[in-house]
Amino acid sequence: MSDSRFTVQDTPEAATAESPNTVLVLDTDPGVRWSLAKGLANSGYEVVTAATVAEAVGFLRERTIAAVIYELLPEAGLTQDALPLLLDAEVLPRIICVSVESSPQLVIECMRRGAADFLPKPFTLAEIRMSLSRALSANSNSTLVQRAPAPARQDGDASALIGISPATQELRAIIKRVALSDLNCLIRGESGTGKDLVAREIHRLSRRSDKPFVKVNCTALPEQLLESELFGYEKGAFTGAVTSKPGRFELANRGIIFLDEIGDMHPSLQAKLLQVIEHKEFTKLGGRKQINVDVQIIAATNADLERKTKDSSFRADLYFRLNEVCIWVPPLHERKEDVPLLVRHFVQKHGRFRADNPIEITADDLNILTEHLWPGNIRELESTIKRWLALGKSPLTDVRRQQPSAAQSTAFSLGQGVPGGVSAQAAKPPAEEITAEQILKVLERFQWNRRKAAESLGISYQTLRRRIEQYGLDTVS
């Protein structure tokens, strides 16, 4: 079976050429071997295939294999127990396990035995390509989870949502359906679950993907500044307006505007936003001309909008306009299977913070991380990984100290062994002495409410924003 664009070899004797991008497909099903070989070859990989572990080991001894796609089939003897054999090569291959089973225990066990990634079946060719890109970009040391260079650019058609849990797979399916529509969408979920990423995925898959994606944080600016940011202003509209400025809606024309934390928007702005939704037009501050726009609106909030509509702090008509489609992003404790892969992703993403030896996270570490409730969700998990990499602390130091309660604060006082974080009543250090770790802890404690965090730290809101930007802390929504 041959094609000018790829080569499929089924015996070790046939494998003689050297290629830095050679992928071995290990599967008992010849149809699976052929389809993966052809699909990956069309993506620029050289592919060899094997039906048994013995054949695969023969290939590994004869030539340099960059990665192995290994389907776990217990009935055929293809289990995670064989991973050490596949890893016993002069040049360590990156192994991607695939399986119809995707329990946290199986994922952890595969990674403990040396797998670089894990994909549940069924999977798409785009997902396999993204997994290969991620695996081959990592340092090929055998340490389970280690510091590594930034991953290579992912394929444009591969989802950026990391995870294999049923909840994450369902979320991906919903996003694809929503992206096919042009309806306004309301993304809801706890703080730190990744609502920003969901919005960007909708944009990536939509017909507006080649048009602007403009994000506005509705809590980051006071009411007056937020209005000028959203709708722009004309020269002379207020003191200091020496030139005209386009607003975010105008900049997002023909694309998507993402209104984060919409539940905290001031009622006076809600009325103007409703006008934009209903009539697709608005006026700048100090202007008279109606500006027409074609934008899809995606809003996100962790607030109880139903309660807010009842107490009149959020307009019911605006709520229904925004809620044409609703996506609920599940908390991390409802998608435990995703934790091991998220841990690996964040270690590779932030590994540059650590200049000495790679950090190692064992299977026991992953078990504890997987079972932890993560009240701060993905943002808390990422912050924890960043803290470990930056400070070189034991991976279990923080999590073991935390009580298993979703309502409990996850912050810890620096150098102390009990929960509590930086108390508002505690003596506050001078602003210049506040460390990145202390800021992270307080932000997690208040679920990234920056105003409350600034009050707790005893610094101004603007100072906190500058520190967050300076330390590169604001990476996940």
Side-chain angles (χ1 to χ4, degrees):
M1 189 180 304
S2 65
D3 185 290
S4 60
R5 295 166 295 177
F6 70 95
T7 302
V8 179
Q9 300 165 331
D10 280 304
T11 61
E13 290 75 17
T16 56
E18 293 292 332
S19 170
N21 292 315
T22 301
V23 176
L24 169 64
V25 177
L26 173 53
D27 195 290
T28 59
D29 187 332
V32 172
R33 297 198 300 270
W34 183 87
S35 59
L36 279 178
K38 183 170 183 178
L40 292 176
N42 288 339
S43 298
Y45 294 99
E46 182 179 349
V47 183
V48 293
T49 68
T52 66
V53 173
E55 287 182 80
V57 170
F59 276 120
L60 291 167
R61 288 174 178 169
E62 293 290 330
R63 65 183 301 163
T64 299
I65 301 293
V68 179
I69 299 173
Y70 177 40
E71 182 175 23
L72 302 179
L73 296 170
E75 65 275 10
L78 303 182
T79 69
Q80 65 269 24
D81 294 334
L83 294 181
L85 291 175
L86 300 177
L87 290 165
D88 187 20
E90 184 175 347
V91 177
L92 188 68
R94 307 299 287 170
I95 298 181
I96 300 169
C97 290
V98 296
S99 175
V100 293
E101 181 188 350
S102 58
S103 66
Q105 292 73 24
L106 179 60
V107 177
I108 290 172
E109 185 61 22
C110 286
M111 289 190 167
R112 186 184 72 82
R113 293 177 182 270
D117 206 350
F118 188 105
L119 286 177
K121 293 186 69 178
F123 51 79
T124 65
L125 182 61
E127 289 170 335
I128 283 287
R129 287 202 301 261
M130 184 177 72
S131 181
L132 281 170
S133 174
R134 208 162 42 216
L136 294 176
S137 71
N139 190 309
S140 60
N141 187 284
S142 60
T143 302
L144 176 63
V145 180
Q146 61 184 2
R147 183 173 65 87
R153 183 181 62 84
Q154 296 176 350
D155 292 326
D157 58 349
S159 172
L161 290 173
I162 295 174
I164 61 172
S165 67
T168 299
Q169 293 183 61
E170 181 180 359
L171 180 60
R172 287 197 193 99
I174 293 171
I175 288 172
K176 288 179 181 178
R177 293 199 296 269
V178 171
L180 295 176
S181 73
D182 208 26
L183 299 174
N184 296 326
C185 177
L186 183 61
I187 304 173
R188 305 185 68 173
E190 296 177 6
S191 178
T193 51
K195 297 186 288 294
D196 177 282
L197 184 57
V198 171
R200 294 180 186 276
E201 278 292 283
I202 294 173
H203 175 257
R204 184 182 68 85
L205 297 172
S206 75
R207 66 177 181 84
R208 299 173 183 263
S209 60
D210 59 340
K211 301 300 187 295
F213 177 89
V214 179
K215 177 182 176 180
V216 182
N217 190 321
C218 298
T219 62
L221 296 171
E223 175 194 352
Q224 294 79 8
L225 289 180
L226 180 58
E227 183 176 4
S228 66
E229 279 295 309
L230 288 173
F231 306 111
Y233 54 81
E234 296 290 358
K235 179 179 179 181
F238 50 83
T239 303
V242 295
T243 61
S244 297
K245 176 184 175 182
R248 300 295 182 91
F249 270 98
E250 192 172 352
L251 294 174
N253 190 31
R254 301 178 66 193
I256 290 178
I257 188 167
F258 175 46
L259 304 176
D260 200 10
E261 301 300 341
I262 189 71
D264 296 325
M265 178 177 283
H266 193 275
S268 65
L269 281 181
Q270 294 176 27
K272 197 163 184 178
L273 176 58
L274 184 62
Q275 177 188 354
V276 179
I277 296 175
E278 291 181 338
H279 304 293
K280 303 293 185 181
E281 62 181 21
F282 63 92
T283 57
K284 292 183 178 181
L285 288 178
R288 297 180 180 179
K289 180 183 176 182
Q290 292 285 349
I291 298 176
N292 297 310
V293 290
D294 169 24
V295 294
Q296 182 179 6
I297 298 176
I298 300 178
T301 184
N302 60 2
D304 184 349
L305 290 187
E306 290 77 12
R307 180 186 59 78
K308 283 179 169 285
T309 57
K310 290 179 181 178
D311 64 18
S312 300
S313 60
F314 198 87
R315 295 179 62 116
D317 48 2
L318 177 59
Y319 167 70
F320 291 120
R321 287 289 191 177
L322 292 173
N323 198 34
E324 290 178 339
V325 178
C326 183
I327 296 179
W328 288 86
V329 184
L332 187 54
H333 68 80
E334 291 183 6
R335 32 182 172 147
K336 293 182 177 181
E337 299 93 330
D338 299 345
V339 172
L341 298 182
L342 286 167
V343 170
R344 180 182 294 278
H345 168 71
F346 291 139
V347 168
Q348 293 181 358
K349 177 181 177 182
H350 300 295
R352 65 184 184 277
F353 289 172
R354 185 176 171 88
D356 53 354
N357 294 328
I359 185 173
E360 179 174 348
I361 301 178
T362 68
D364 289 338
D365 297 345
L366 287 175
N367 270 313
I368 292 175
L369 293 172
T370 300
E371 294 304 317
H372 184 61
L373 290 179
W374 298 111
N377 294 294
I378 296 176
R379 181 185 288 127
E380 181 190 356
L381 174 61
E382 181 172 16
S383 296
T384 299
I385 298 300
K386 289 169 70 175
R387 190 157 51 242
W388 293 346
L389 292 169
L391 303 179
K393 297 170 63 177
S394 166
L396 303 183
T397 301
D398 284 354
V399 175
R400 276 179 170 163
R401 289 172 175 172
Q402 298 180 34
Q403 299 297 322
S405 168
Q408 176 194 335
S409 164
T410 61
F412 290 85
S413 297
L414 185 61
Q416 296 181 1
V418 296
V422 181
S423 170
Q425 288 75 36
K428 299 179 178 64
E432 63 272 11
E433 295 181 7
I434 297 176
T435 66
E437 183 182 15
Q438 288 172 304
I439 291 175
L440 270 175
K441 289 174 181 177
V442 176
L443 285 168
E444 291 167 8
R445 179 184 178 192
F446 291 105
Q447 297 188 328
W448 281 73
N449 185 312
R450 291 169 175 78
R451 295 194 183 281
K452 292 182 179 179
E455 291 175 4
S456 177
L457 289 165
I459 59 179
S460 69
Y461 177 78
Q462 294 301 327
T463 298
L464 177 60
R465 287 188 62 195
R466 286 196 298 271
R467 290 301 177 88
I468 290 173
E469 182 178 355
Q470 175 186 347
Y471 294 131
L473 302 179
D474 194 4
T475 56
V476 178
S477 289

